[in-house]
Amino acid sequence: MTVGWVLMSERELDRVEVLSQVSQGRMTAVTAVTAANVLGLSRRQVHRLLKRFESEGAASIRHKARGRPSTRRIDPGLRE
């Protein structure tokens, strides 16, 4: 298994911290309302993130569009 660096924002790191607490039992998943309130998400989204976090690890929480060009960018030829 290759281990590498994963760049994450502060928001993503907060999500990893809360999800790890839920998966370790320090914060109950039944009261996912608490986790949802801390993260500013819905209970449903917390359950989705938790499922992905437990199956794929912390790197799965990182935003998938990081490093990709915007889909709303203006074509360089059109810009000039």
Side-chain angles (χ1 to χ4, degrees):
M1 180 168 95
T2 305
V3 178
W5 290 94
V6 176
L7 296 175
M8 296 182 124
S9 68
E10 191 70 30
R11 184 171 138 205
E12 292 165 340
L13 290 172
D14 290 340
R15 286 182 178 186
V16 169
E17 178 62 32
V18 170
L19 292 173
S20 69
Q21 287 179 7
V22 171
S23 70
Q24 293 172 0
R26 288 188 271 156
M27 188 181 293
T28 60
V30 174
T31 59
V33 175
T34 306
N37 287 337
V38 169
L39 297 175
L41 299 171
S42 68
R43 248 185 12 186
R44 183 177 181 179
Q45 187 63 23
V46 169
H47 283 288
R48 288 177 179 170
L49 285 173
L50 184 61
K51 183 178 176 182
R52 192 167 66 200
F53 175 74
E54 289 176 343
S55 67
E56 300 174 28
S60 66
I61 303 304
R62 184 179 72 89
H63 197 280
K64 306 299 184 235
R66 179 159 298 140
R68 293 183 181 173
S70 171
T71 57
R72 296 179 51 97
R73 68 185 181 278
I74 300 172
D75 185 80
L78 182 63
R79 183 179 296 211
E80 293 179 18

